[in-house]
Amino acid sequence: MRRRPVNRTPLLLVTLGVCLTLIVLSGGGTLRPLENILSIPLNALAGLFSGAGRAVSDLTAGQRSPEEQAQYIADLETQLARITGEVVALREIGGDYQRLADLVNYVSQNEGQEVVAADVIARDTISSLRTFVVNRGARDGVRVGMPVVTGQGLVGRVINVSANAARAQLITSEFSSISSRTQTNRVEGAVIGLASGALRMTLLPQGAQVQVGDLVLTSGLGGNLPPDIVIGQITSTRQFESDIEQSAEVRSLVDFDRLEIVLIVTSFEQIDLSVFEPTAIAP
Amino acid sequence: MGIFLAFPVLMIAAVIQAVLLPQTPLIGGGPNLVFLLVMAWSLNAPLPEAIFWAIVGGISSDLLSAVPLGTSALGLALLVFLVNILLNQFYGLGLLLLGLAGLFGTFAFEFYRLAALDAFQLFGYIPADAPFNITWGNDIANVIAPVMVYNVVSILPVYGLLRLLQRRLPRIE
């Protein structure tokens, strides 16, 4: 394309004048406000592009030779294995923390009680017997009959003690019977374990008002357990006119299948009531 | 029409130059997009329009740089004048001129910018707390030479794209 002749000299002079004026004024700082205004659209564009730029940078940074890729994958696998181990350990610590927090909570709410924390180290091989072994025994002040609790409530009672271990029976055992009462109406009864692993409160007087949702606590009657330890919550009641008593299903807040740390209340001693039992008087 | 096109095209080019190219793993930083666009546009545009492109492109570059406003605009405008003179002297050598602009034009422009930077430091136009240590031999080898290579390689595709665009624009006589 042949161009039309343009008189270049005035254009050159104007261009030079404009550019040199800009340089002098800008160098002196006079144009700073104008530069700030002109920079606004450019900075907005730069903001838009910087995200894309990072993506491009990440993409190109990921380009490696096959050997480097293999090494990179191996390193990542090593890191993954290490981190997986750490995650497992941290989850364990988190679980322990929660359990200990519950126990601390129990201790702080029952300041009068002396307790020993114990790890559950074994469960009964005959699961229907529902007993477990803890790593605290006579050396730690554990005695037969002492209650075993967690932050969620009553777990069971110590039934055998060795020097450094003790066996406890869960309250869900069929052989367990605990004197108890409801929290609101103070209705007394006995919580027994069922073959299914559930709990039932029996011996409730026929006319007594038993509310669903009410908490069931130990009553302390019989001297086998201290009073006011939470056993569970009433989920339903059964009442037949033909019966002389009513019963209620109780759900414990304790997860008996996942017991790991428990507290043994060592400040409690069973009260021996045998002296009050009637005996044959010698003629 | 080309005047209006200068703003979006050159502003985006300047931003890409300042934001995207430094993040790509190109040795020496990559081509000077604003320079390429201004040179390629000036080959088939009227001189006033080409000068306008040079000033807009230069100011866009300077706004994203530490040099005073107008520094790049002056260098680009002078190069556009030179290209215009050569085009009128050697009619029909457009593409050859394009290659020469990519090679020697790049060298002249980048050299000028470094020299201007040095001079502005001397005159106190650039804050003393942000000094630029220019070592000429090192900068020519590591800054200017790579840009020359990238510009020579890129100028023909850029010219082709802009030529397509110029042909589609309504002609204002």
Side-chain angles (χ1 to χ4, degrees):
Chain A
M1 181 180 71
R2 173 66 76 175
R3 289 157 189 271
R4 278 185 298 182
V6 178
N7 192 352
R8 282 190 286 260
T9 311
L11 193 59
L12 178 65
L13 289 175
V14 170
T15 305
L16 281 175
V18 168
C19 290
L20 289 173
T21 306
L22 280 176
I23 291 169
V24 171
L25 291 178
S26 175
T30 315
L31 289 181
R32 182 62 58 196
L34 178 68
E35 288 173 21
N36 289 340
I37 291 169
L38 291 175
S39 295
I40 291 171
L42 285 173
N43 290 337
L45 272 175
L48 284 174
F49 277 89
S50 64
R54 273 194 293 273
V56 170
S57 182
D58 292 346
L59 196 69
T60 50
Q63 290 175 352
R64 299 177 177 87
S65 68
E67 294 79 17
E68 286 173 334
Q69 286 280 18
Q71 184 59 45
Y72 184 64
I73 290 168
D75 290 345
L76 284 179
E77 282 175 347
T78 309
Q79 280 183 34
L80 181 65
R82 183 176 54 77
I83 289 167
T84 304
E86 284 177 8
V87 167
V88 169
L90 287 172
R91 278 187 183 152
E92 281 296 304
I93 291 169
D96 287 347
Y97 171 79
Q98 190 57 50
R99 284 184 285 273
L100 289 171
D102 288 342
L103 298 181
V104 168
N105 190 34
Y106 177 86
V107 172
S108 62
Q109 285 174 354
N110 299 274
E111 286 181 353
Q113 290 181 350
E114 287 177 19
V115 294
V116 169
D119 288 332
V120 175
I121 55 172
R123 291 176 193 278
D124 207 310
T125 49
I126 305 169
S127 60
S128 60
L129 292 180
R130 297 205 175 88
T131 66
F132 61 93
V133 180
V134 295
N135 64 346
R136 299 286 184 182
R139 284 179 193 163
D140 305 293
V142 178
R143 303 281 180 271
V144 169
M146 286 180 172
V148 182
V149 298
T150 67
Q152 280 78 42
L154 185 64
V155 172
R157 236 178 339 201
V158 176
I159 55 172
N160 292 124
V161 179
S162 70
N164 55 2
R167 182 178 292 277
Q169 184 184 52
L170 292 175
I171 57 172
T172 54
S173 166
E174 285 182 273
F175 308 104
S176 167
S177 178
I178 299 159
S179 299
S180 55
R181 64 166 163 247
T182 60
Q183 187 181 40
T184 309
N185 295 326
R186 320 301 283 179
V187 181
E188 294 184 346
V191 171
I192 58 169
L194 302 176
S196 63
L199 294 170
R200 179 174 293 159
M201 189 173 184
T202 58
L203 304 176
L204 292 163
Q206 181 65 279
Q209 281 200 331
V210 181
Q211 297 172 346
V212 172
D214 202 358
L215 281 179
V216 179
L217 312 173
T218 54
S219 67
L221 291 176
N224 291 325
L225 287 168
D228 298 328
I229 299 176
V230 176
I231 297 172
Q233 198 171 26
I234 292 175
T235 55
S236 64
T237 59
R238 290 202 301 183
Q239 193 170 18
F240 299 107
E241 286 186 7
S242 57
D243 292 344
I244 58 167
E245 60 188 54
Q246 57 176 317
S247 63
E249 302 303 315
V250 177
R251 186 185 63 199
S252 172
L253 304 177
V254 179
D255 187 350
F256 295 103
D257 294 329
R258 294 170 194 270
L259 284 175
E260 290 182 32
I261 304 172
V262 293
L263 292 176
I264 302 169
V265 182
T266 54
S267 58
F268 176 78
E269 282 189 24
Q270 270 187 305
I271 299 165
D272 184 9
L273 298 175
S274 61
V275 70
F276 301 115
E277 287 174 4
T279 53
I281 300 168
Chain B
M1 196 65 195
I3 284 174
F4 301 110
L5 204 63
F7 289 102
V9 170
L10 292 168
M11 280 169 70
I12 289 172
V15 170
I16 290 173
Q17 184 82 45
V19 177
L20 288 186
L21 287 185
Q23 295 185 35
T24 54
L26 295 172
I27 300 162
N32 187 331
L33 289 180
V34 173
F35 171 88
L36 290 174
L37 288 166
V38 170
M39 287 298 112
W41 192 269
S42 68
L43 226 61
N44 287 293
L47 182 61
E49 188 177 299
I51 294 292
F52 186 79
W53 269 63
I55 289 174
V56 171
I59 286 176
S60 299
S61 286
D62 291 344
L63 282 171
L64 294 165
S65 162
V67 294
L69 210 62
T71 308
S72 300
L74 180 61
L76 286 171
L78 289 175
L79 278 174
V80 165
F81 272 108
L82 188 64
V83 167
N84 186 264
I85 291 167
L86 292 174
L87 272 175
N88 283 294
Q89 292 291 324
F90 307 103
Y91 175 71
L93 294 178
L95 287 181
L96 180 64
L97 206 62
L98 198 66
L100 292 173
L103 194 64
F104 297 112
T106 301
F107 180 81
F109 180 64
E110 298 295 340
F111 189 89
Y112 154 77
R113 286 213 300 185
L114 284 179
L117 201 62
D118 217 7
F120 292 147
Q121 285 193 114
L122 203 65
F123 292 123
Y125 272 22
I126 290 174
D129 55 352
F132 299 93
N133 296 319
I134 295 170
T135 47
W136 282 103
N138 190 43
D139 286 345
I140 288 171
N142 297 318
V143 179
I144 298 178
V147 179
M148 285 169 70
V149 173
Y150 287 121
N151 279 5
V152 168
V153 172
S154 313
I155 200 161
L156 203 60
V158 171
Y159 173 78
L161 284 173
L162 284 187
R163 192 77 192 107
L164 279 174
L165 197 63
Q166 279 174 324
R167 282 184 177 145
R168 288 173 197 279
L169 289 177
R171 186 170 290 277
I172 301 168
E173 293 294 341

